[in-house]
Amino acid sequence: MGEPIVLPHEDPAFVADPFPFYRRLREGGPVRRVVTVRGMEAWLVTRYEDAREAFTDPRLTSDLRGATDPRLLEQMPSAERTSAMRSMIRLDPPDHTRLRRLVSKAFTVRRVAELEPRVQAITDRLLDAIIPAGRADLIEDFALPLPVTVISELLGVPLTDRDRFQEWTNVLLTQRPDRPDPEATDWAWQQMWSYLEGLLAAKRRDPADDLLGALITARDRDQRLDEGELVAMAFLLLVAGYITTVNLIGNGIVALLAHPGQLKLLRDDPGLLPNAVEEFLRYDGPVNPGILRIAAEDLEIGGVAVPRGATVIIATAVADRDPAEFPEADRLDVARTAGAHLAFGHGIHYCLGAPLARLEGRIAIGTALRRLDDLALAVPYEELPWQVGGLRGLEHLPVTFTPA
């Protein structure tokens, strides 16, 4: 297979638009050896059919401890390393099955659906604050505070603690993989872990009708979540349900601003919003290039031999642009039926928070389009600052609109 291909994260053109590079990778083969932004070698699964199958292949494990490259764990801050091992996303059956079943009893479709009026109210309040100025940073002023407020309320974080909660969350989620700061990340993880332990203890003493309260009482016959699993689950719901939603909202809005015909189509027909959210997830999803697995044994993916212990990236961002699955895959089309995308994964690890992300994305983007007249970028598209590696989202989204 030759030398691995270095993903060019230092190239501003790649950071702004990695998809032409990804297209060449996909056209070159179903699995490509690459060097990631952290300098580690990985096997990138590039095609839709292979990626979908990889998500359900039991030979690809979510447990990172089997990786041949020890740096995969060593580069994680120590606090994250410890808690990640209790997290549902890093476990395989039967442990994953037990945790998923317990959490599903608390994090129900009904609980998410009941949030719709509150999500709308938070969205309107945030827009009320920026509309008079006629300009805003739609990440800092809108896309970021919306999901952190929603997840805080869902978990039952007291209003008086939310500033600290958001401070720790921002430290955790704004770390650049090419410029890691393990001390700051370790501090934030430890603060958050200690805080959640205390919050869970308080909710045991004084039960509340929120998600943490429901997780505490969730039972499956004689099984319950233990203390470490509860804290790890709260972490997972926070992190997975926060930054991915920020990126969904930001990426969706900027995609529309870069495609004025699609923006007009969606404004003229708001009934397309559910379709549009799926298309934003497919076209420029919040995780990039994809989701990590470890080869638990020697195997083949798409006819390519992958050795035991190899780090495998199921490249959802690349697979969701595969023209074999999505005709004219590089074209944004808000009327497209794109529900088969892999942005939320597939199989037993399919994102538990997907209904909440969809709800927030639909309300946030739809309300912004309805209320922000003459919405336009305040800087050239080429100057927008994108996150580097692992996730795909904007650090800032400066816009203008007609003040009211």
Side-chain angles (χ1 to χ4, degrees), residues 192-268:
M192 186 76 82
W193 189 273
S194 297
Y195 174 79
L196 288 171
E197 284 182 322
L199 185 60
L200 283 162
K203 290 184 182 297
R204 287 188 191 281
R205 293 190 302 269
D206 185 15
D209 184 22
D210 53 42
L211 183 55
L212 284 185
L215 288 171
I216 289 169
T217 58
R219 279 186 173 277
D220 185 41
R221 296 179 184 156
D222 60 341
Q223 294 184 333
R224 300 179 75 160
L225 296 167
D226 68 29
E227 198 69 19
E229 290 167 345
L230 276 168
V231 179
M233 183 53 59
F235 251 118
L236 175 60
L237 291 170
L238 167 71
V239 176
Y242 172 47
I243 194 62
T244 51
T245 305
V246 175
N247 291 352
L248 165 59
I249 296 168
N251 293 7
I253 290 175
V254 80
L256 290 172
L257 293 176
H259 297 84
Q262 294 296 299
L263 174 60
K264 182 178 187 305
L265 181 62
L266 192 53
R267 274 190 161 141
D268 290 346

Side-chain angles (χ1 to χ4, degrees), residues 391-404:
L391 295 169
R392 170 74 177 165
L394 289 160
E395 295 175 355
H396 300 284
L397 178 52
V399 297
T400 60
F401 42 85
T402 301

